[in-house]
Amino acid sequence: TLTLSFGTSVKSASRIQLFTLDGRVMKEIIVPAGENKIEINVSGYPEGLYLLKITNTLLSESRRLLILH
């Protein structure tokens, strides 16, 4: 399980996307405004490197994510 925590409650909804390195969207979640923590079950995904993108009205940020089981 992947846990994402935001420092403060976000004032607008956020979109979290998990991509493979070739650009396929594996998961997309909309996090309601005011939420500051979310858990994503990644146990069904193959091990490897992924791209995690978080977008809302204030930011658009991407991070590399390594899934190991």
Side-chain angles (χ1 to χ4, degrees), residues 4-5 13 23 27-29 36 45 47 49 52 57 60 62:
L4 299 176
S5 296
K27 184 93 170 168
E28 184 169 339
I29 299 171
N36 65 350
Y45 298 116
E47 290 187 345
L49 194 58
L52 183 71
T57 57
S60 180
S62 298

Side-chain angles (χ1 to χ4, degrees), residues 2 9-10 13 16 22-23 25 27 34 36 39-43 46 49 52 54-58 62 64-65 68-69:
L2 170 68
S9 293
V10 180
I16 298 174
D22 64 0
V25 177
K27 184 93 170 168
N36 65 350
E39 292 187 352
I40 302 170
N41 183 355
V42 295
S43 64
L49 194 58
L52 183 71
I54 302 171
T55 308
N56 62 35
T57 57
L58 299 175
S62 298
R64 288 175 292 187
L65 173 68
L68 298 172
H69 301 291

Side-chain angles (χ1 to χ4, degrees), residues 7-28:
T8 59
S9 293
V10 180
K11 306 265 188 274
S12 65
S14 299
R15 181 186 340 185
I16 298 174
Q17 296 171 294
L18 183 65
F19 294 92
T20 60
L21 292 183
D22 64 0
R24 285 184 296 138
V25 177
M26 299 296 288
K27 184 93 170 168
E28 184 169 339

